[in-house]
Amino acid sequence: MTISGALTNALSGLRAAGRGAEVVSANISNALTPGYGRRVLALSPIATGASGGVRIDGIQRVVDASLAADKRLAGADQLHARGAADFFHRTEQLLGTPDDSASISGRLAGLERSLITAASRPDATERLDMAVSEAQGLVTSLRQASAGIQEARGAADRTISEQVDRLNVSLEQMVSLNTMITAELARGRDTSGLEDQRQGLVDSISNMVPVREVPRDNGQIALYTTGGAVLLDGTAATLAFDRSNVVTPYMSVDMGTLSGLTLNGTPLRTGSENGPMRGGSIGAQFMIRDELAVTAQEQVDAIARDLVTRFQDPAVDPSLAATDPGLFTDNGGAFDPADERGLSSRLELNAAVDSDQGGASWRLRDGLNTATPGPVGNPSLLQSLNGALNAALVPGSGGFSGGAFTLPGLVSAVTSSIGTSRNIAEQELSFASARFTELTERQFAEGVDTDEEIQRLMMIEQSYAANARMIEAVDEMMQTILRL
């Protein structure tokens, strides 16, 4: 080997060692950075005549694409499951537990106790007033439950709008990153940093809508939802959603009063089972708004219907005609079975017993439609009202499989149903969270190993020292030759 060849070899080795040190230091400093792909310096030998050396071929980004894809889908599943679990937890709080006096069960128990107490002393005005107060409390609890469910639907609608806007922006950013990566590859430059940004963006998109990444030519990628919708393939799709300022029990996508989702102007199904955008946080919000909350509202309305019809029966209060409202009314009027949706939000106490509306509590004892007080010692109507609470009747709605329930039994059935749904949702969330955590740990384990990187840095240091010593030896030889 000639002196010039040895010098060339040493200089190329120094360049490779310096570049390698940069790569290793970047790996160590980003060991815990989400979306960072470990870098490896690609080298190859040079053999030109009598000289040689090492060529820097570029920097390779080492990522397990399959593991990254599994982690993205697990993250989407976790967010979807958390949405359902949070909804059922909130709904369970709205209905309350039997040990809570402000819950529907607690208010119902309070009404039953107050009717028994009033029947024992029907002449005691304060006991009649207490029964009216407990009835009003039950109305308030049902109305609050309905309002809370609709508030959850409204919050879901607003969240969908925000996330659709974010998704559209993210897809446009993906187009820009694809273009930049293609341009940098054409110039022969390193694109690892851009690919890190793109992977982070894909992870963010997948949290909203589960996606699969498909490689395309020139370093670009396409994105398809797991339900088959094309979000990005060369150009970005445009999603549209119209936010509603207020959501009521009477609003739905089928009726055209709530917005659905469109992709490039084409309406999409948004069902949790068969929608092309199912899963992820957006799918969870559609599921809450259009499925879970609707079912919960139907069950609360079923309780309200059962309550109204029990006390609207002339057999319970003989002062009522067949079309007269009972103790509990639909906005002050009689209940129409054809107009059940949202009944719990319209529930009111009959004005005849409500002192705030000019009524009097003695009508609870003597009959809602009586003009003057009757015998103060007659408890029969109060006993009849209490009996109506505990009569086993088949609910007119709510999907209770034709079984007969007392009113407390019906409330218990609804509360248990919500509680069971919450337990199932929390189990699914626990599984999804464990899976996501495990895949995240595996991704970190297969990412940057700082111990290995430090060992590599020590080898680079040795290589650098060896090449520097070679240059020093060449310099000594040249000096010796010049002194001859």
Side-chain angles (χ1 to χ4, degrees):
M1 177 182 295
T2 63
I3 292 178
S4 61
L7 185 60
T8 299
N9 289 351
L11 289 174
S12 68
L14 285 179
R15 284 194 296 270
R19 194 77 168 108
E22 291 178 9
V23 171
V24 170
S25 63
N27 285 341
I28 294 174
S29 62
N30 289 283
L32 299 178
T33 302
Y36 179 81
R38 180 170 63 91
R39 273 65 155 163
V40 175
L41 187 65
L43 302 173
S44 62
I46 299 175
T48 305
S51 64
V54 62
R55 178 190 296 112
I56 299 175
D57 295 324
I59 297 175
Q60 297 177 348
R61 182 172 178 269
V62 182
V63 173
D64 187 333
S66 177
L67 180 59
D70 288 344
K71 180 199 164 189
R72 278 197 295 268
L73 296 180
D77 288 343
Q78 182 188 35
L79 290 174
H80 190 267
R82 177 173 289 121
D86 289 347
F87 170 78
F88 285 122
H89 180 70
R90 173 60 179 154
T91 304
E92 194 173 38
Q93 289 181 324
L94 289 171
L95 298 181
T97 55
D99 58 341
D100 180 6
S101 61
S103 68
I104 295 175
S105 297
R107 293 293 190 184
L108 191 56
L111 176 59
E112 184 177 7
R113 287 194 302 270
S114 66
L115 287 174
I116 294 173
T117 301
S120 67
R121 281 285 309 277
D123 60 314
T125 302
E126 68 278 4
R127 298 193 180 192
L128 295 174
D129 290 342
M130 178 56 70
V132 171
S133 176
E134 292 290 350
Q136 183 61 64
L138 179 57
V139 168
T140 300
S141 292
L142 285 166
R143 290 179 69 109
Q144 288 176 343
S146 176
I149 291 169
Q150 296 311 309
E151 183 181 341
R153 295 185 75 202
D157 191 86
R158 292 189 295 272
T159 302
I160 292 169
S161 178
E162 294 167 359
Q163 294 199 358
V164 166
D165 290 342
R166 192 183 313 152
L167 180 57
N168 283 326
V169 171
S170 297
L171 290 173
E172 290 298 332
Q173 291 174 343
M174 284 290 301
V175 172
S176 297
L177 283 172
N178 269 344
T179 302
M180 292 169 64
I181 288 172
T182 298
E184 292 299 292
L185 286 174
R187 297 186 182 100
R189 296 177 180 173
D190 176 34
T191 61
S192 298
L194 293 174
E195 290 179 50
D196 284 344
Q197 293 182 44
R198 187 172 67 182
Q199 181 171 321
L201 201 54
V202 173
D203 290 345
S204 175
I205 290 172
S206 189
N207 285 336
M208 294 181 280
V209 182
V211 295
R212 295 194 182 278
E213 180 181 320
V214 180
R216 292 289 186 255
D217 294 337
N218 302 315
Q220 298 200 7
I221 62 171
L223 295 179
Y224 293 79
T225 72
T226 54
V230 182
L231 295 183
L232 173 70
D233 199 348
T235 59
T238 301
L239 292 104
F241 176 84
D242 295 326
R243 173 177 168 176
S244 298
N245 293 325
V246 178
V247 178
T248 68
Y250 321 104
M251 299 171 67
S252 68
V253 175
D254 293 338
M255 296 174 65
T257 48
L258 284 179
S259 174
L261 193 64
T262 63
L263 181 69
N264 294 330
T266 302
L268 294 177
R269 298 186 308 274
T270 54
S272 59
E273 297 297 329
N274 59 359
M277 306 289 281
R278 61 183 179 271
S281 56
I282 290 180
Q285 299 307 312
F286 271 113
M287 180 176 65
I288 291 170
R289 192 195 70 171
D290 299 334
E291 299 174 29
L292 301 183
V294 171
T295 300
Q297 181 68 50
E298 289 173 351
Q299 292 183 321
V300 174
D301 286 342
I303 294 174
R305 173 176 179 166
D306 196 64
L307 176 67
V308 170
T309 54
R310 285 173 186 268
F311 292 93
Q312 191 174 286
D313 188 356
V316 175
D317 184 351
S319 72
L320 299 177
T323 58
D324 288 340
L327 179 60
F328 300 97
T329 72
D330 183 354
N331 267 345
F335 169 64
D336 180 2
D339 187 25
E340 180 181 342
R341 179 178 296 179
L343 174 62
S344 54
S345 66
R346 307 190 302 268
L347 196 64
E348 290 183 1
L349 191 65
N350 197 308
V353 298
D354 187 358
S355 59
D356 292 337
Q357 302 182 65
S361 61
W362 56 261
R363 290 192 176 89
L364 204 62
R365 176 193 64 213
D366 301 326
L368 294 175
N369 286 344
T370 54
T372 58
V376 296
N378 183 8
S380 59
L381 181 54
L382 293 170
Q383 292 169 346
S384 181
L385 292 174
N386 185 56
L389 285 176
N390 294 289
L393 303 175
V394 177
S397 60
F400 293 98
S401 304
F405 294 85
T406 63
L407 186 53
L410 180 62
V411 172
S412 177
V414 171
T415 304
S416 296
S417 175
I418 296 296
T420 299
S421 296
R422 177 187 58 79
N423 285 332
I424 294 173
E426 288 181 346
Q427 289 175 5
E428 292 176 350
L429 174 59
S430 178
F431 173 78
S433 298
R435 179 168 174 259
F436 177 71
T437 300
E438 176 65 23
L439 290 171
T440 301
E441 291 177 353
R442 282 181 55 192
Q443 192 174 50
F444 276 127
E446 296 186 10
V448 177
D449 184 336
T450 53
D451 291 339
E452 182 181 342
E453 295 298 326
I454 290 173
Q455 291 177 11
R456 185 176 290 113
L457 188 60
M458 293 174 63
M459 294 175 63
I460 290 172
E461 182 182 4
Q462 294 173 1
S463 173
Y464 189 93
N467 284 288
R469 181 68 186 102
M470 175 63 73
I471 292 175
E472 183 180 356
V474 169
D475 180 64
E476 291 175 355
M477 284 188 289
M478 292 296 298
Q479 292 298 331
T480 300
I481 291 172
L482 291 174
R483 286 195 297 269
L484 291 177

